[in-house]
Amino acid sequence: MKILIFGRGVIGAIYGWALEKAGHTVDFYVRPGRAAAYGPAITLRLLDARKRITGVPVNETWATRLREDLPADHDYDLIIVSVQHYRFAEAAAFLGPRVGKATVLVFNNFWTDPLVAAAALPASQLAWGFPAAGGGFGADGVLTGSLFNMVTFGTFGTEPTAREVAVRDLFRKSGFALSEQRDFKGWLWVHFATNAGLHAAALRGGTVSGLLAVPGALEDAVRNVRELLPVVTARGVDLGAHARYTLLFRLPPWLGARLFRLVLTLLKPVRLVVESHTNPEELRLTCRDMLDETRRLGISVPRLEAAEVYFPRV
């Protein structure tokens, strides 16, 4: 399959590498002028945890193909979009008239209604998923992170279309296991609220690695998420349908924090994602958007409000 990754971010680069290794052709669309800045290759320092829970080390310089144009008559079969949630509208507006005949895999986080956010894209050509990978580019340009086995796909109460089935098959045949969410909007919002709680605690240390560096940060994170889950309920989501994803945060905070630390201690790929995250802007804007929504709904969130000093409105 011929695949275009929109942008050369962390998620796109990790999955682009994995899909090319599986035999697919992978290109990256980057903004004009970025190709020269990025250079012809990415140095990868990954833990590939698809087959072994402790991860298989990947240390290589991967030659990439970058392009700065995207004509409407291109021949890509699949376009993968994974950008920061606050940049998705811009990406969708650009891609809308340039999708061509391709399927677009929206591989993204959302706090808005995802169907509304993607209105600029042809609905009949969309597939919806969420990655299980993470990390960051260091100052030296090296991408450090982890890739996990499970990829989540979702629908909005309907059966997958033929295009969506084809995308699922692509990932399955490329070495991934699949998870299916019929209430994908609800699942995404639970995930976003979870991130907001974690990020609010992490901001005390400046980055996600603050969850490990700052004493008490993990227990703060558990308490934060507990405080924010009612916001998702107020949006009409049945949390019972997503109970397995909120279990850690429904435990007593001391216990949830201990289990969280145990996971980070025992599973190096998970810890590596936390330690290598390098985008404080994502943390701040996730918390900002969550706090704005709590105020719109009139829901009291004293813990998040107390943390606002770390993500002031710009």
Side-chain angles (χ1 to χ4, degrees):
M1 187 174 285
K2 189 172 183 180
I3 301 169
L4 180 71
I5 310 288
F6 186 85
R8 206 205 66 155
V10 171
I11 299 300
I14 292 175
Y15 279 93
W17 168 82
L19 292 171
E20 185 171 282
K21 291 294 184 181
H24 302 282
T25 299
V26 175
D27 296 342
F28 291 85
Y29 169 79
V30 298
R31 294 181 181 182
R34 293 289 179 88
Y38 286 139
I42 301 174
T43 300
L44 302 171
R45 299 289 182 266
L46 305 177
L47 285 176
D48 185 349
R50 285 178 291 171
K51 293 184 178 179
R52 194 167 73 197
I53 194 170
T54 54
V56 176
V58 175
N59 297 285
E60 68 173 80
T61 298
W62 174 44
T64 55
R65 291 179 295 276
L66 311 180
R67 62 179 304 162
E68 297 180 343
D69 67 317
L70 185 61
D73 61 350
H74 62 77
D75 61 349
Y76 291 105
D77 303 299
L78 177 67
I79 300 173
I80 299 178
V81 182
S82 185
V83 297
Q84 303 300 337
H85 76 278
Y86 46 87
R87 300 193 187 282
F88 183 81
E90 177 186 0
F94 174 85
L95 279 175
R98 297 174 174 86
V99 169
K101 297 179 180 179
T103 297
V104 178
L105 172 59
V106 181
F107 219 35
N108 226 80
N109 206 4
F110 287 99
W111 188 227
T112 55
D113 185 315
L115 293 173
V116 174
L121 299 170
S124 63
Q125 293 176 235
L126 299 183
W128 297 86
F130 199 86
F137 285 97
D140 57 0
V142 174
L143 174 54
T144 302
S146 299
L147 174 65
F148 299 95
N149 183 40
M150 189 66 67
V151 176
T152 298
F153 288 96
T155 58
F156 303 92
T158 60
E159 293 301 315
T161 65
R163 285 179 181 267
E164 291 174 303
V165 169
V167 174
R168 285 157 172 75
D169 287 344
L170 164 72
F171 276 82
R172 186 182 295 107
K173 293 174 181 177
S174 298
F176 295 92
L178 310 184
S179 173
E180 193 73 33
Q181 295 292 326
R182 285 181 61 84
D183 176 23
F184 196 48
K185 179 170 69 175
W187 187 90
L188 286 167
W189 287 354
V190 168
H191 186 275
F192 192 95
T194 301
N195 277 359
L198 297 176
H199 291 177
L203 280 169
R204 291 171 58 193
T207 66
V208 173
S209 60
L211 289 171
L212 298 174
V214 178
L218 289 176
E219 187 165 339
D220 282 348
V222 173
R223 293 181 184 277
N224 291 346
V225 176
R226 285 165 67 99
E227 178 182 77
L228 296 176
L229 288 176
V231 182
V232 182
T233 300
R235 283 181 150 205
V237 176
D238 176 12
L239 290 181
H242 306 284
R244 61 179 292 195
Y245 302 101
T246 62
L247 176 60
L248 181 70
F249 307 104
R250 291 184 284 111
L251 296 171
W254 66 269
L255 179 57
R258 287 190 181 184
L259 291 175
F260 204 160
R261 184 169 293 280
L262 183 63
V263 169
L264 293 171
T265 300
L266 296 178
L267 299 181
K268 187 176 179 180
V270 179
R271 186 170 71 253
L272 185 61
V273 170
V274 172
E275 292 174 340
S276 58
H277 188 280
T278 55
N279 186 357
E281 182 184 29
E282 178 188 1
L283 276 62
R284 291 192 294 267
L285 290 179
T286 296
C287 294
R288 181 79 260 161
D289 287 351
M290 172 59 73
L291 185 57
D292 287 347
E293 179 69 355
T294 67
R295 288 171 173 166
R296 186 188 73 83
L297 294 171
I299 297 175
S300 176
V301 286
R303 297 185 64 83
L304 189 61
E305 290 168 358
E308 189 176 5
V309 63
Y310 298 112
F311 53 92
R313 191 181 303 280
V314 177

